[in-house]
Amino acid sequence: MTTSPQYGFETLAIHAGNEPDPTTGAVVPPIYATSTYKQDGVGGLRNGYEYSRSANPTRTALEECLAAIEAGTRGFAFASGLAAEDTLMRSICKPGDHVVFPDDAYGGTFRLFSKVLSQWGIDMTPAAVTHPDAIRKAIRPGVTKVVWLETPTNPLLNVADIAIVAQIAHDAGALLVVDNTFASPYLQQPLELGADVVVHSTTKYMGGHSDVVGGALIVRDPELADKIAYHQNAIGAVAGPFDAWLVLRGIKTLGVRMDRHSDNAEKVVEYLQRHQSVTSVLYPGIDGHPGHETAAKQMKRYGGIVSFRVSGGEKQAIDICNKAEVWTLGESLGGVESLIEHPGKMTHASVAGTPLEVPGDLVRLSVGIETVDDLLHDLDRAMS
């Protein structure tokens, strides 16, 4: 089917890249478990396929779907979110370039920039990306090539105004990259707001079932797409066909899952706001949240991630995580099951002792799609 804007999100999520198999009529794309392809003579590729690092029909189906649901022109599927980020940076930067980076970013992304890309000569400056003046101050004229956003951020749920930051980046001759993992393309469309590149860990809401690891990049500019395509093939950290098939399957139900994640999260937030041990609840859907107005402007709803801080400090936060039963103690997020974790000791341990260190009294929830009363009862028991 065409990916015309006349189609709604859920229609694109189900049909884009999912043409019925021309041989059998199967409505689900096959898993092409092949490494190579018979060529029609020397140098004669059959429909563009020669070797599965360069292209695979299952991955092509996913990449077409990714482009459609993020309102881009080309999508690229990778073996992980960090593989996507690494490939992107090597596509658009060179040694000596500079990046403005969120001051509360995901620990794995911070590790990639601070420990790996730094050895390649990429410098970065953490900045409060919720404050435009802080971004302007962090930019180095002629040197800054990328402004990197997460919005909402992980794990503090801060919200940046994508349109404003896009203008700041472009005025400085830099690209705006937005990690849209927390929101998903169902809730937020960064390319429509001026971003140049959208990044996803498709492990999370895109896959949605905690059974696959993957990453994605989506762009609009054809020249930028060609650069990424070259490096995707040259570096080779591509999504395998089975992983691509799992993500493609997950995307079909993304819209209905995100609505249920958001429904449940809102009820969890209401419970936490009333609990005597909770000192603050971090969720963009709360009227008093500093990014609420921006989130209301650029997001359809506020998503399934909730963080909160407790009066008993780190010990109580860890105790809550350990006592939960319906909430599974585990890293990652965005699956159908609810997860609970202590960022300071788990997902964000790599930023301990840096300007990005997260509070020890912080608990992060990935609210799943279970019966919400069961989630509330279990949380109440763990916090008693």
Side-chain angles (χ1 to χ4, degrees), residues 11 36 49 56 83 94 119 127 172-174 237 240 259 290-292 322 346 360 365 372:
T11 303
T36 193
Y49 295 102
N56 175 283
K94 63 183 185 302
Q119 297 186 40
D259 278 333
H292 176 67
N322 285 331
M346 296 172 69
L365 304 175
V372 71

Side-chain angles (χ1 to χ4, degrees), residues 158-181:
N158 287 312
V159 177
D161 190 314
I162 296 172
I164 289 176
V165 178
Q167 188 62 56
I168 293 171
H170 296 159
D171 287 347
L175 297 178
L176 176 63
V177 177
V178 177
D179 185 335
N180 201 30
T181 298

Side-chain angles (χ1 to χ4, degrees), residues 86-222:
D86 187 46
T87 301
L88 172 65
M89 293 304 297
R90 296 179 193 277
S91 301
I92 61 179
C93 288
K94 63 183 185 302
D97 286 345
H98 174 252
V99 177
V100 176
F101 193 79
D103 63 355
D104 62 338
Y106 165 55
T109 302
F110 176 77
R111 181 178 57 226
L112 172 66
F113 277 81
S114 65
K115 304 297 184 184
V116 179
L117 294 174
S118 62
Q119 297 186 40
W120 194 52
I122 300 296
D123 194 14
M124 71 171 187
T125 300
V129 293
T130 55
H131 299 289
D133 287 343
I135 297 172
R136 292 188 184 95
K137 184 177 180 180
I139 287 174
R140 301 176 187 173
V143 181
T144 300
K145 294 298 189 293
V146 172
V147 175
W148 190 283
L149 289 185
E150 291 176 13
T151 183
T153 61
N154 182 7
L156 299 180
L157 282 301
N158 287 312
V159 177
D161 190 314
I162 296 172
I164 289 176
V165 178
Q167 188 62 56
I168 293 171
H170 296 159
D171 287 347
L175 297 178
L176 176 63
V177 177
V178 177
D179 185 335
N180 201 30
T181 298
F182 266 31
S184 86
Y186 179 68
L187 300 182
Q188 183 170 266
Q189 301 262 299
L191 295 178
E192 299 270 80
L193 296 168
D196 299 287
V197 185
V198 170
V199 177
H200 280 281
S201 169
T202 57
T203 310
K204 313 304 193 295
Y205 287 113
M206 296 279 219
H209 293 78
S210 300
D211 55 8
V212 62
V213 173
L217 301 173
I218 303 96
V219 301
R220 275 185 166 175
D221 179 64

Side-chain angles (χ1 to χ4, degrees), residues 7-31:
Y7 293 111
F9 180 91
E10 292 89 342
T11 303
L12 292 173
I14 292 170
H15 292 288
N18 286 265
E19 298 294 339
D21 180 67
T23 302
T24 66
V27 297
V28 176
I31 300 172

